[in-house]
Amino acid sequence: MVWLTAATALLTMLGTAPAGAADEWQKVGGDARSGVSGLAYEGRTGDGAGVHVLVVHDNKRSGQQRLSRITHWEGSDGISPITWDGPEPVDLEAIEAIPGMPGEYLALTGRGIVYRLKVTGSTATVVDYSPLPAIGEGDDFESFALVAQNGKLAALWATGEPARIVRPRCTRRP
């Protein structure tokens, strides 16, 4: 019921908000390699006036940017690259903060490889990586979410077509 109430409130807010003018959008980069495929809330700025979010780029070649930080303040935005320390992923699609573990994230590739990251300052260190369970031939993963409730953590993900439902296993925090 809580999810339904939250979804209704969000849809109501979006339905009553102005559509927005073109100048309200902030460009993240100047070319195809700077496009954003997923984002995760990182926290408030030190002065509390803005927010930081981490964004993943679905770049495929070695040496291309994989992760950046966007900082948003009222009327202004900044983007800075995050150094990737560890095995480079191909085609990142999503990133999620690990609940209860500040500075730790899981990032998912299109082929279903999950990277566990520890982000400190301007560096993301790969702590571990592993394929999702039950990957099917031709699966193309597009989204990922982590949910914590009653001391348990569940991971949910979605593929492009053909879609399948995989029963999530609840486990202890990583």
Side-chain angles (χ1 to χ4, degrees), residues 93-96 105-108 114 132 141-146 154-158:
E93 295 293 343
I95 186 168
E96 280 284 313
Y105 300 84
L106 294 179
L108 177 68
V114 178
L132 290 172
F141 296 89
E142 298 294 338
S143 64
F144 184 75
L146 291 173
L156 304 121
W157 54 87

Side-chain angles (χ1 to χ4, degrees), residues 119-138:
V119 177
T120 306
S122 62
T123 302
T125 302
V126 176
V127 175
D128 197 8
Y129 63 100
S130 177
L132 290 172
I135 295 175
E137 186 176 332

Side-chain angles (χ1 to χ4, degrees), residues 45-83:
T45 57
D47 63 4
V51 296
H52 297 294
V53 294
L54 295 176
V55 296
V56 291
H57 308 285
D58 65 354
N59 290 322
K60 296 165 182 63
R61 293 193 178 132
S62 180
Q64 293 178 327
Q65 193 65 38
R66 298 304 197 261
L67 187 63
S68 296
R69 177 179 289 120
I70 296 176
T71 304
H72 171 76
W73 298 274
E74 184 68 33
S76 158
D77 294 297
I79 185 162
S80 54
I82 301 290
T83 301

Side-chain angles (χ1 to χ4, degrees), residues 145-157:
L146 291 173
V147 179
Q149 189 171 26
N150 300 325
K152 301 212 180 210
L153 183 65
L156 304 121
W157 54 87

